[in-house]
Amino acid sequence: IQLKDGSILCPSSSEHDGWRVHFELSRDLGKTWQVIGPINDGKKFGAIQPSILNYPDGRMQVMCRSRQDVVTQSWSSDKGRTWSLMGASNLPNPNAGTDAVTLKDGRQLIIYNHTVRGGAHGGRNMLNAALSSDGKTWKPVLTLERAEGEYSYPAVIQARDLKVHITYTYRRQSVKHVVIDPAKL
């Protein structure tokens, strides 16, 4: 994301030496980069693939895939320079990718598998959307898929017309594209 001061902050992660989340910051449009973090030790929470959410008061939040059967989160109050200890959100996660976006109306939207590991297709047989106004309490609002097969690795954006576009792997055979009107959620 591009910060108000023009810096670019990129969420990132590594899988060596434990799953850990870090950020890369450039103040010169990508000529040089500074690494921030990792923000977790990879032990209590093994987390990767962070998505950044923004709040009107300047705080930022990341939501991450984890190995601990929950979507994890961390908060920053200083434009991403430092982050809180990683903690669990109220959303389950079967060790599967998630993606999240701050909607133009200020709500937060996450796409994730509302299951835990085990069962059919490693818990990736259901794909959901949840909303939050504060980033702390998430409410599942839509089931995109719930059937035999695997639905995973979502990506979500909001277009200029305010419609939300979601893509994800569909049964590991193709990619599905879904468009929703967030005003109806």
Side-chain angles (χ1 to χ4, degrees), residues 99-116:
D99 197 20
V101 65
T102 300
L103 299 175
K104 303 288 188 228
D105 65 13
R107 294 180 297 169
Q108 310 299 340
L109 175 70
I110 187 168
I111 309 300
Y112 69 108
N113 301 92
H114 192 92
T115 59
V116 292

Side-chain angles (χ1 to χ4, degrees), residues 75-133:
W75 293 82
S76 175
S77 296
D78 60 5
K79 300 178 183 141
R81 277 26 176 223
T82 61
W83 292 85
S84 69
L85 289 175
M86 188 164 288
S89 74
N90 69 316
L91 297 173
N93 181 264
N95 187 9
T98 66
D99 197 20
V101 65
T102 300
L103 299 175
K104 303 288 188 228
D105 65 13
R107 294 180 297 169
Q108 310 299 340
L109 175 70
I110 187 168
I111 309 300
Y112 69 108
N113 301 92
H114 192 92
T115 59
V116 292
R117 280 183 280 192
H121 304 282
R124 297 179 182 183
N125 59 318
M126 185 165 69
L127 189 68
N128 304 78
L131 283 172
S132 179
S133 60

